[in-house]
């Protein structure tokens, strides 16, 4: 089974899971029409496997689909956006 990314709004985070197993998360705070990404982590056993990139891409695709803006306070999310210029339009102007 392929890992899937979904929003867990009650926990204020995007999660990447393989079935019931949590593999990583991207924590956020909602601020009006902005999603402020504060922290990202993946299972240490999965580091280097691309799960972090899959997680961030899935989270940002969801942000885009909802017509929201991203505020990348998390250095991992910020660095990922810098390496993927097609996502820069999502970044809120004041971030």
């Amino acid at each position: 089974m392929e890992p899937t990314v979904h929003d867990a709004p009650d926990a204020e985070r995007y999660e990447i899971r393989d079935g019931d197993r949590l593999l990583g998360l991207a924590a956020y705070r909602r601020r009006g029409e902005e999603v402020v990404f504060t922290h990202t982590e993946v299972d240490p056993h999965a580091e280097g496997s691309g799960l972090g990139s899959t997680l961030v891409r899935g989270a940002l695709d969801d942000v885009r689909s909802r017509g929201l803006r991203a505020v990348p306070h998390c250095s991992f999310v910020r660095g990922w956006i810098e390496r993927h210029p097609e996502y820069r339009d999502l970044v809120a102007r004041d971030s």
Side-chain angles (χ1 to χ4, degrees):
M1 182 188 299
E2 279 291 310
T4 58
V5 177
H6 72 277
D7 187 11
D10 292 343
E12 294 188 308
R13 67 188 191 183
Y14 283 91
E15 299 176 340
I16 187 165
R17 291 182 171 271
D18 185 2
D20 290 338
R21 185 168 161 242
L22 179 65
L23 301 173
L25 62 91
Y28 66 81
R29 290 187 325 275
R30 277 294 300 271
R31 187 171 68 191
E33 297 298 306
E34 297 177 339
V35 179
V36 182
F37 287 95
T38 58
H39 177 71
T40 303
E41 61 183 72
V42 295
D43 182 323
H45 297 100
E47 283 184 14
S49 68
L51 278 179
S53 286
T54 301
L55 170 61
V56 171
R57 183 183 303 276
L60 293 175
D61 286 346
D62 186 66
V63 167
R64 185 186 304 280
S65 75
R66 296 176 191 219
L68 303 173
R69 294 276 181 223
V71 180
H73 285 185
C74 166
S75 60
F76 185 85
V77 174
R78 187 170 46 253
W80 193 91
I81 292 171
E82 288 172 3
R83 290 186 306 278
H84 297 86
E86 66 274 23
Y87 285 86
R88 289 187 187 148
D89 64 306
L90 287 177
V91 177
R93 299 236 183 264
D94 62 348
S95 340

